[in-house]
Amino acid sequence: MKKQKLFCILVAALAAVMLLTACGNGVADTPVVAADAVTDGNVTAPEGSGSERTFVDVVDFYGNVVTVVQNPTTVAIFDFGILDMLYNIGFENTGIETLIVPTMSTLPDSLAWFRDGGDENTTVVTGGTLFYIDWDILDFVNPELVVLGVRSFGMNAAEERLSPDAALEFQHDTFARYQNTAFMWLTIDARNANLTRDMRANAYSLAQIFPGIGELLFSEIEEIEAEFAAIREVTTASGMEAAFIMMLDPATMTVFLDNSRFGFLFDEFGFAPLTLDLEAWTDQHGFAIQSEFLLENNPDVIFLLDRTDPDTGLGAATDNFMNDAIIQRTNAFINGHIYSGLPMPDWYTIVGGFGSARRMIQDVNRFVDHFLESAKN
């Protein structure tokens, strides 16, 4: 009944939305840098309200202090990593009754629970995309909390990429329109990933907002950090230089090193980056290369993400890469240290969640197992 009622409200709302006008006179500061640490939240009760609800001051990803009602029941989440994190500790433990997510139909299989609309306790609806916050849905669901991701406000309703000024205007207009809603960024750094630090900070913020899940969140974080450390011990001792390659299509590939969105391969998993002019290797989308580049710099290990089939990380691009006579002369190929089949959702779009971190651990452990086995012989 709850879902049917909400569906009827949304249908009626969308039909009437053009008749409504929203107003507001306050905007939030634009975040510019990520916070290196979080602080204890200041918990208060609303004065004179007679309500039992309490509010807490939470430091978000960019260092903004946001006042949030504890245990909100109506929430929007526009970051896949946060959805993954909450799903893997049992979403039912949050007490959220109505959830807005980006484009349900395109959610990856690991987030199928949200794609399928939740369950009898939680109704899940679409309220835009990772890049676009849909005012029509926010108007009528009226969430108490909106969790933003690094891509939020990047596009308009027509899926056209916005200029920095237009994106900032969209953000300010949204904050002004919903002055009774708490907006906060909980995400990871997509330009220079510091994965476990950002995950721990996000978990801390979520534990302040939903006190009942704190123990679950930190138990997961500690297990993941321990597994990262175990891998790092082997990779650091190996001294092997690695490169992360993304195949955009069968004819194009880009390389990512440290100081990039895949920097955690080096900082967290412990591989040594190729020795290059690092000043030139900071683009978050990677740099286009040819096979000759890899032979010239000759990495010992290559991790290969093939976008031909994002779900499996395999396809025609991988076949072309492995059959390339130049690639076959690299140390990585000769010693069997090219690791393909990396699912794009876990390595690219859901980074920052517990499920995605465990899949990355599983993939990197393929190297660990191979290396340790080779060391015995």
Side-chain angles (χ1 to χ4, degrees), residues 33-48:
V33 294
D36 288 329
V38 293
T39 59
D40 290 335
N42 178 33
V43 181
T44 61
E47 295 183 7

Side-chain angles (χ1 to χ4, degrees), residues 47-95:
E47 295 183 7
S49 65
S51 170
E52 295 181 357
R53 308 197 76 184
T54 57
F55 291 77
V56 61
D57 292 336
V58 180
V59 179
D60 78 357
F61 176 79
Y62 288 112
N64 304 306
V65 178
V66 183
T67 301
V68 184
V69 64
Q70 284 192 325
N71 298 312
T73 58
T74 308
V75 177
I77 299 177
F78 292 96
D79 185 274
F80 283 170
I82 299 300
L83 288 174
D84 183 0
M85 186 175 282
L86 293 176
Y87 174 73
N88 278 279
I89 56 94
F91 193 83
E92 67 278 3
N93 294 310
T94 66

Side-chain angles (χ1 to χ4, degrees), residues 18-31:
M18 297 305 295
L19 300 177
L20 300 180
T21 304
C23 62
N25 54 21
V27 296
D29 291 337
T30 304

Side-chain angles (χ1 to χ4, degrees), residues 115-139:
R115 188 177 64 202
D116 297 338
D119 58 22
E120 65 276 7
N121 297 314
T122 304
T123 299
V124 182
V125 297
T126 290
T129 70
L130 287 174
F131 300 87
Y132 172 69
I133 311 299
D134 190 338
W135 289 358
D136 293 353
I137 301 300
L138 264 63
D139 280 347

